[in-house]
Every structure is written in structure tokens, then in C-alpha cells.
């Protein structure tokens, strides 16, 4: 099973983002740690980590607390 991120705006609507698949959760999280600022700049407000179509966790805001 592959991992991927779902990208959403502040209202929880899906928005476009990089269509990247990862072999495991650690790879997905490492990629996210390097890319989250660019995602925020591109209009992504929150993300959810998916394993296939099952939510692992999220939504997680990209904005500072």
C-alpha cells in the first residue's frame, strides 16, 4: 500500500497539489517536512496523510499555531 497526501483549503475543500506516492509513512513525512512551506505558498492550508484511501492522520494545518 502506498502513502500520499490530500491537500485542502481552510474550508476543507480539496485543492491541487503534488501527486506524489511514497512507499512508507516515514518517506511521506520526510517529504512533507521539506515541502510544507511551498505547499502553504501554493494555497494549501491543511493536509491529511492517506494510506491508499484510508486516513492515517489529519487534517493538519500548515499555519503556525
Amino acid at each position: 500500500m502506498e502513502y500520499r497526501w490530500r491537500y485542502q483549503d481552510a474550508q476543507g475543500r480539496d485543492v491541487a497539489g503534488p501527486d506524489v506516492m511514497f512507499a512508507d509513512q516515514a518517506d511521506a513525512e520526510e517529504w512533507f517536512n521539506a515541502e510544507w512551506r511551498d505547499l502553504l505558498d501554493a494555497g494549501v492550508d491543511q493536509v491529511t496523510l492517506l494510506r491508499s484511501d484510508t486516513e492515517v492522520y489529519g487534517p493538519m494545518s500548515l499555519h503556525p499555531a
Side-chain angles (χ1 to χ4, degrees):
M1 295 197 176
E2 293 180 327
Y3 289 82
R4 64 184 177 88
W5 293 100
R6 177 171 53 212
Y7 311 103
Q8 296 178 316
D9 65 15
Q11 289 74 40
R13 294 179 298 235
D14 289 347
V15 296
D19 188 19
V20 183
M21 299 288 204
F22 305 92
D24 59 42
Q25 184 172 339
D27 288 345
E29 291 170 341
E30 183 178 326
W31 177 88
F32 174 77
N33 285 334
E35 299 295 326
W36 73 269
R37 286 178 187 86
D38 291 338
L39 293 170
L40 185 59
D41 289 344
V44 176
D45 292 299
Q46 61 187 23
V47 296
T48 299
L49 182 62
L50 303 173
R51 181 178 181 210
S52 293
D53 290 324
T54 303
E55 292 184 4
V56 177
Y57 61 80
M60 177 175 63
S61 176
L62 301 187
H63 297 276

